[in-house]
Amino acid sequence: MNREFIINILFLVFINLLIKPAFIFGIDLTVQNRIGADYGLYFALLNLTYIFQIVNDFGIQGFNNRYISRHPQLLPKYFPNLLAIKGLLGIFYVALTLLVAWGLLGYGRRELPLLLILLLNSILVQLVLFLRSNVSGLGHYRLDSFLSSLDKLLMLATCGILLWANPFPAIPFTIETFALAQTLALLLTVLIVFRLLRWKAEFPIRPSWAKNWRAGRPVVLFLLRKSYPYALVVLLMFAYTRLDGVLLERLLPDGKIHAEVYAGAYRLLDACNMLGFMFASLLLPMFARLLKDPAHTGVRSLASLSFSLLWTGSITLAAAVYFAREDLLHLMMPGRASAYRWDTLGLLIWAFVPVSMTNIFSTLLTAQERLRDMNRFFLVGIALNVTLNLFLIPTYRAFGAAAATVATQTFVACGMLWLCMRFFHFHPNRSWMFRTAGFAVFIPAADYLIFSTLQVDWKIRFGLALLAGLFGGFLFGLLRARKAAIFLKM
């Protein structure tokens, strides 16, 4: 399984590094620079759509991925029922979010049309993820790796045409047209992924309860009962990771401006987080299969391997971005970079390290259905995040929101690690702890020397910082030459 994981993670990284950064920095960043403060509103509303994902998804993706990985023969039975349930949940999700936005948060006619488009996009994104969970559950990991970037590839086309070759010159480019271009790309993605899934497996489309609700009701209730714990995980994780953007926009008089500053920093964190999300998407079905072994030997081996790779990669990348933050923002936002922006980025980027750890350990806990234990930590994380944001945002604005994010993510990551040590008997020895901590000290120190002493172009120093991370990984034994040789041979 380790070999399959390495092959697929390399393929997944390659695919995503080709496509997703092109969208994030080529399209999304261009839109922010062109639109300005309205992008802050877009960012806040986008975060609002994430908070109510419990209604949109109800844990169906996580439940389906785990169960289809273990029992592929259940796909024809589960798929039509889950698809119909998702359709009903999507309608309720739109109604609930619009009601909260209008009734509680005070959004009006200027914001609600944009929110409606983003809600539709959110439904389409979750539908793509649900379809992909069946692809990966059937064991087609490489096809799923390709599909993971298909939506962004299509968005490069639809959004790029609007930005640089607008076929409708009479229609001005606004944040709404940007959102609608994403809608078109997501619709095409749904059709393509659905067609590929039908090619890989035969299954009916009509749910078992379409003609006879009473006969099908037990199946629906069973699926909702099984997916509910996953739904709570989705709600709580999105709540403590996405509240900051909404609170920034609502708590400050000029909230759109500060939300836009935070969005600019969050973009780089989001780009880095691609690595952690890719690991999680591959690890869930693999962990689910390995957990059939009661000894958990393969689980510990795969968890150790993924931890070493992500610990090395996250600290290396976070430190490099931190020391190059000023130059990066001048490159990304010429004429708009400021100390306020790069200080926010410099602090927020360190959230990448605990987020990466959470991606590994929460995925393992999800695969074993330790959802209630995770949710306790997520609840405390929400309380911590809201408290810190309410205290810090009025004074420190986007920088305060970044501080709240780093503190919350660190707490949650430590909680996930503790649960894995408890349930899977992870017992790291002193040597491992010393090497892990030593790497975390070595990389910032090495990067400080690189950026403060070398009088060369910042891009060269950034590259040297990445090489320092690779060297440090081998120096502290987190990356081993024997494994590297195997990887190259593969």
Side-chain angles (χ1 to χ4, degrees), residues 278-300:
M278 288 186 286
F279 270 70
S281 65
L282 277 179
L283 285 173
L284 182 58
M286 292 183 175
F287 277 145
R289 292 190 179 190
L290 288 172
L291 284 170
K292 292 180 180 180
D293 175 17
H296 294 164
T297 305
V299 169
R300 284 192 288 271

Side-chain angles (χ1 to χ4, degrees), residues 466-479:
L466 298 181
L467 289 176
L470 184 63
F471 171 76
F474 286 107
L475 178 66
F476 287 90
L478 298 175
L479 305 176

Side-chain angles (χ1 to χ4, degrees), residues 12 47 100 187 202 243 251-252 259 324 340 382 390 418 469 482:
L12 192 58
N47 283 334
V100 170
L187 281 171
E202 289 294 329
L243 276 170
L251 287 176
L252 299 172
Y340 177 36
I382 292 172
L390 291 176
W418 181 80
R482 181 176 61 84

Side-chain angles (χ1 to χ4, degrees), residues 228-243 354-355 357-366 369-387 407-417 419-420:
Y228 167 73
Y230 296 90
L232 197 55
V233 169
V234 171
L235 167 68
L236 298 179
M237 288 190 73
F238 276 123
Y240 80 79
T241 56
R242 296 291 180 171
L243 276 170
V355 167
M357 301 305 101
T358 300
N359 279 323
I360 296 173
F361 299 124
S362 66
T363 300
L364 176 54
L365 292 164
T366 300
E369 292 191 302
R370 295 287 181 179
L371 307 177
R372 181 178 298 178
D373 300 284
M374 285 198 300
N375 286 338
R376 291 170 182 162
F377 281 96
F378 293 154
L379 280 170
V380 179
I382 292 172
L384 177 63
N385 186 260
V386 171
T387 302
T408 304
Q409 296 289 359
T410 301
F411 167 79
V412 172
C414 291
M416 297 302 102
L417 174 59
L419 288 174
C420 285

